[in-house]
């Protein structure tokens, strides 16, 4: 991961404040926070998570020893998807009982931090993935927390047993009930944030829980496709169409349009199977108001 440019390091290398101001005016460098910048061409600037990761890296060197990156900041450092939360604030935790504080760009949490709860990510002390998932689940919106937990499980970064053990050590802490609900709902079969958020919305709107990543074969045993969501009683397939999915599906030399055409052929083959009585598809904009989609899905 590339690192931000820190004013104190630049000055030691002979760069003057006039040079810094000139680079900022010309947008050769872009400001992360006072005294920290990213190069205009740095890919981290292009998305909120990348900028936040750089902001974390720019903030930790300014803090007294003992600060451990935690919460959504740790989730970003572990490469877990976050959304619906403020990424302008860096979250750290200190192993003590008091002294928490919040400023414009930093929130210091306090509480027990075991040695096994801390790992190094690009040289920065960061809560482990299991501790991060539980901390996010204690404080973030339910859909954000489920997205983080699903991704950690899906990528094999944690196991359900890891999360259960971390929940036990967090017993009695603020938000632990919410964290238990998130971990109980989490499912590593969900393949991406869109599927995770879809699951949360289905549950909220009373749609029966689907089977995730269900394999459908034809009568001869040939694999037709693995679908995102499957309601066997209704014979209904549900598919979340995030464009990042088609990017992952690209074969050498293909364009996204080629992948979309292949998906159309796949859907036609699915619809031709006797067990499939319908296919419902939705995209990111549909997650803003999911009720029309939910109306097309099975009801209890």
């Amino acid at each position: 991961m590339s690192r931000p440019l820190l004013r104190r390091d630049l000055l030691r290398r002979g760069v003057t404040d006039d040079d810094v101001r000139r680079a900022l005016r010309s947008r050769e460098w872009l400001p992360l926070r006072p005294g920290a910048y990213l190069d205009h061409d740095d890919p981290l600037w292009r998305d909120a998570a990348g900028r936040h990761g750089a902001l974390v890296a720019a903030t930790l060197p300014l803090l007294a020893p003992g600060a451990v990156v935690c919460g959504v900041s740790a989730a970003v450092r572990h490469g877990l998807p976050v959304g619906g939360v403020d990424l302008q604030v860096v979250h750290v935790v200190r192993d003590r009982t008091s002294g928490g504080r919040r400023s414009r760009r930093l929130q210091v949490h306090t509480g027990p931090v075991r040695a096994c709860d801390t790992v190094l990510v690009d040289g920065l002390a960061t809560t482990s993935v299991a501790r991060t998932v539980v901390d996010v689940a204690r404080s973030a919106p339910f859909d954000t927390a489920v997205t983080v937990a699903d991704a950690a499980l899906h990528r094999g970064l944690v196991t359900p047993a890891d999360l259960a053990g971390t929940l036990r050590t967090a017993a009695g802490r603020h938000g632990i009930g919410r964290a238990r609900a998130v971990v109980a709902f989490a499912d590593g079969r969900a393949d991406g944030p869109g599927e995770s958020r879809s699951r949360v919305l289905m549950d909220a709107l009373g749609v029966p829980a689907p089977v995730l990543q269900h394999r459908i074969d034809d009568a001869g045993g040939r694999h037709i496709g693995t679908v995102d969501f499957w309601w066997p009683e209704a014979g209904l397939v549900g598919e979340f169409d995030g464009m990042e999915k088609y990017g992952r599906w690209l074969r050498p030399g293909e364009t996204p349009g080629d992948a979309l055409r292949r998906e159309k052929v796949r859907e036609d083959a699915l619809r031709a199977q006797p067990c499939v009585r319908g296919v419902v598809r939705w995209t990111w904009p549909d997650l803003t108001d999911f009720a029309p989609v939910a109306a097309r899905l099975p009801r209890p």
Side-chain angles (χ1 to χ4, degrees):
M1 178 178 291
S2 54
R3 294 188 177 275
L5 304 167
L6 300 182
R7 175 179 174 274
R8 65 181 191 180
D9 296 336
L10 293 168
L11 294 180
R12 281 198 292 264
R13 300 205 308 257
V15 176
T16 67
D17 279 329
D18 283 342
D19 294 331
V20 171
R21 285 190 287 268
R22 194 157 37 245
L24 290 173
R25 281 197 303 269
S26 68
R27 296 186 63 78
E28 177 185 352
W29 296 342
L30 302 171
L32 275 173
R33 56 169 296 156
Y37 326 102
L38 276 181
D39 188 88
H40 178 273
D41 296 324
D42 195 313
L44 293 179
W45 188 263
R46 297 173 191 164
D47 66 272
R51 290 193 301 274
H52 185 75
L55 181 61
V56 173
T59 300
L60 263 289
L62 306 179
L63 304 180
V68 178
V69 183
C70 70
V72 294
S73 296
V76 168
R77 299 293 292 181
H78 286 298
L80 297 170
V82 296
V85 291
D86 182 6
L87 290 180
Q88 301 298 315
V89 177
V90 172
H91 293 261
V92 301
V93 62
R94 292 187 178 278
D95 186 12
R96 59 194 188 197
T97 58
S98 62
R101 59 187 175 88
R102 169 76 182 248
S103 65
R104 181 181 173 189
R105 294 184 179 87
L106 176 68
Q107 180 156 4
V108 179
H109 305 265
T110 60
V113 182
R114 303 173 302 164
C116 63
D117 287 336
T118 304
V119 297
L120 287 179
V121 179
D122 292 323
L124 299 181
T126 305
T127 53
S128 68
V129 175
R131 170 67 185 264
T132 298
V133 169
V134 170
D135 283 351
V136 170
R138 290 194 301 111
S139 57
F142 188 77
D143 58 346
T144 298
V146 168
T147 299
V148 169
D150 281 359
L153 290 166
H154 182 77
R155 299 175 191 178
L157 302 178
V158 292
T159 66
D162 294 331
L163 296 180
T166 304
L167 282 174
R168 286 194 295 272
T169 64
R173 301 192 65 192
H174 177 73
I176 190 60
R178 179 165 48 183
R180 291 192 183 104
V182 168
V183 171
F185 191 81
D187 193 321
R189 292 173 296 175
D191 185 12
E195 293 183 24
S196 296
R197 293 180 183 274
S198 296
R199 292 200 311 114
V200 172
L201 291 166
M202 290 175 198
D203 184 68
L205 293 171
V207 176
V211 178
L212 304 185
Q213 301 304 314
H214 177 69
R215 177 185 172 112
I216 295 179
D217 298 335
D218 66 14
R222 182 173 63 94
H223 181 50
I224 301 300
T226 298
V227 299
D228 297 338
F229 306 99
W230 170 243
W231 289 269
E233 294 81 6
L236 189 68
V237 168
E239 294 276 68
F240 173 78
D241 290 336
M243 288 311 296
E244 71 277 2
K245 175 189 294 186
Y246 297 112
R248 294 201 305 270
W249 287 352
L250 287 181
R251 295 171 181 171
E254 274 193 334
T255 67
D258 296 328
L260 284 169
R261 283 187 286 275
R262 275 198 296 109
E263 176 59 15
K264 177 62 168 63
V265 172
R266 170 181 173 272
E267 179 174 327
D268 289 343
L270 286 171
R271 289 182 182 274
Q273 303 312 305
C275 64
V276 176
R277 296 195 287 275
V279 177
V280 177
R281 312 189 78 99
W282 59 93
T283 62
W284 277 109
D286 295 312
L287 299 185
T288 303
D289 178 11
F290 198 68
V293 175
R296 300 164 59 201
L297 300 178
R299 310 305 296 176

